[in-house]
C-alpha cells in the first residue's frame, strides 16, 4: 500500500513538472493534476492540501538534484574562472530539463511565504557555491557579486525559454563573457 502511495505521489509530481514547464504556475491546478494522472480530484487532495504544497515538495525534490549538477560541474573546474563558467553554463544547459523548467516557473510565480522561503534557501545554496570563486577572483563584495551573477543567469534562462532570436549557444557565450569580464564582454 505504501509503495502504491509513493508511486502515485511520484506520478503527481511528474504531472506537476509537465504542467509547470508547459504553462507555468497557472497551469498547475488540481483538476489538471487529476486529469494527467487519472486520479480523482479528491485523491489529489489526499496527497497535497494545496498548490503551494505541491510546489514545496517539487522544490524539496528537484532543487537539490539541480544544485548538485551545478556543484559537480564547478568541482570539476580547476580555476575560479572555470568555476564561474561552469556555474553559468550548467544552469543554462539545464534549461531544457523539465525539472529545471518547473523550478523556473515556480521561482517566477506568486507563492506563499513557506514555498518562497524554501526556494530562497535552495537558491541560497546555489549562490553560496559561487561566492567562494568570486572571492578568489578578487571580487571585493563576493556575496553581492554572486546575487548579481545569478541575475545574469536568470536573464539568460528567460531569454532561452522565450525562444529569443539568438541561438541558445550565443546566449550562453554572452552570459559567460558578462560573468567573467563585465559589460565589455572581453578579457581586459
Amino acid at each position: 500500500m505504501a509503495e502504491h502511495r509513493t508511486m502515485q505521489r511520484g506520478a503527481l509530481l511528474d504531472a506537476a513538472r509537465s504542467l509547470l514547464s508547459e504553462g507555468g504556475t497557472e497551469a498547475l491546478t488540481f483538476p489538471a493534476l487529476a486529469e494527467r494522472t487519472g486520479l480523482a480530484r479528491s485523491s489529489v487532495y489526499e496527497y497535497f492540501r494545496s498548490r503551494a504544497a505541491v510546489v514545496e515538495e517539487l522544490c524539496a525534490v528537484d532543487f537539490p538534484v539541480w544544485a548538485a549538477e551545478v556543484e559537480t560541474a564547478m568541482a570539476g573546474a580547476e580555476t575560479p574562472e572555470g568555476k564561474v563558467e561552469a556555474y553559468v553554463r550548467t544552469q543554462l544547459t539545464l534549461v531544457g530539463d523539465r525539472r529545471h523548467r518547473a523550478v523556473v516557473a515556480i521561482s517566477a510565480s506568486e507563492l506563499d511565504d513557506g514555498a518562497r522561503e524554501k526556494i530562497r534557501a535552495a537558491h541560497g545554496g546555489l549562490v553560496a557555491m559561487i561566492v567562494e570563486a568570486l572571492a578568489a577572483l578578487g571580487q571585493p563584495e563576493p556575496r553581492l557579486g554572486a546575487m548579481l551573477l545569478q541575475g545574469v543567469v536568470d536573464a539568460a534562462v528567460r531569454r532561452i525559454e522565450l525562444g529569443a532570436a539568438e541561438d541558445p549557444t550565443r546566449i550562453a557565450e554572452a552570459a559567460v563573457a558578462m560573468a567573467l569580464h563585465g559589460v565589455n564582454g572581453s578579457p581586459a
Side-chain angles (χ1 to χ4, degrees), residues 78-91:
E78 305 279 309
T79 63
E81 290 88 350
K83 288 185 189 307
V84 170
E85 182 167 349
Y87 178 82
V88 174
R89 279 193 197 284
T90 306
Q91 289 189 65

Side-chain angles (χ1 to χ4, degrees), residues 93-176:
T93 303
L94 291 170
V95 170
D97 184 307
R98 269 185 333 141
R99 280 180 327 219
H100 179 277
R101 284 211 303 271
V103 163
V104 170
I106 290 165
S107 301
S109 71
E110 292 306 305
L111 297 170
D112 68 28
D113 290 340
R116 203 173 291 115
E117 199 40 59
K118 282 202 166 82
I119 289 171
R120 224 177 270 123
H123 255 292
L126 208 52
V127 169
M129 291 181 216
I130 202 65
V131 170
E132 199 179 315
L134 293 178
L137 285 170
Q139 167 60 250
E141 294 188 65
R143 238 201 105 77
L144 174 60
M147 296 299 186
L148 297 175
L149 173 58
Q150 187 58 44
V152 169
V153 173
D154 292 343
V157 164
R158 277 192 299 281
R159 193 108 189 117
I160 291 169
E161 297 237 302
L162 287 170
E166 306 89 2
D167 181 83
T169 309
R170 281 202 33 233
I171 295 170
E173 294 302 325
V176 168

Side-chain angles (χ1 to χ4, degrees), residues 41-95:
R41 201 183 310 183
S42 58
S43 297
V44 177
Y45 282 99
E46 286 175 30
Y47 291 93
F48 299 105
R49 65 187 185 285
S50 65
R51 280 181 2 145
V54 177
V55 163
E56 281 186 40
E57 181 135 347
L58 270 180
C59 289
V61 172
D62 289 354
F63 245 121
V65 175
W66 182 42
E69 291 184 44
V70 176
E71 196 168 14
T72 300
M74 287 178 68
E78 305 279 309
T79 63
E81 290 88 350
K83 288 185 189 307
V84 170
E85 182 167 349
Y87 178 82
V88 174
R89 279 193 197 284
T90 306
Q91 289 189 65
L92 297 181
T93 303
L94 291 170
V95 170

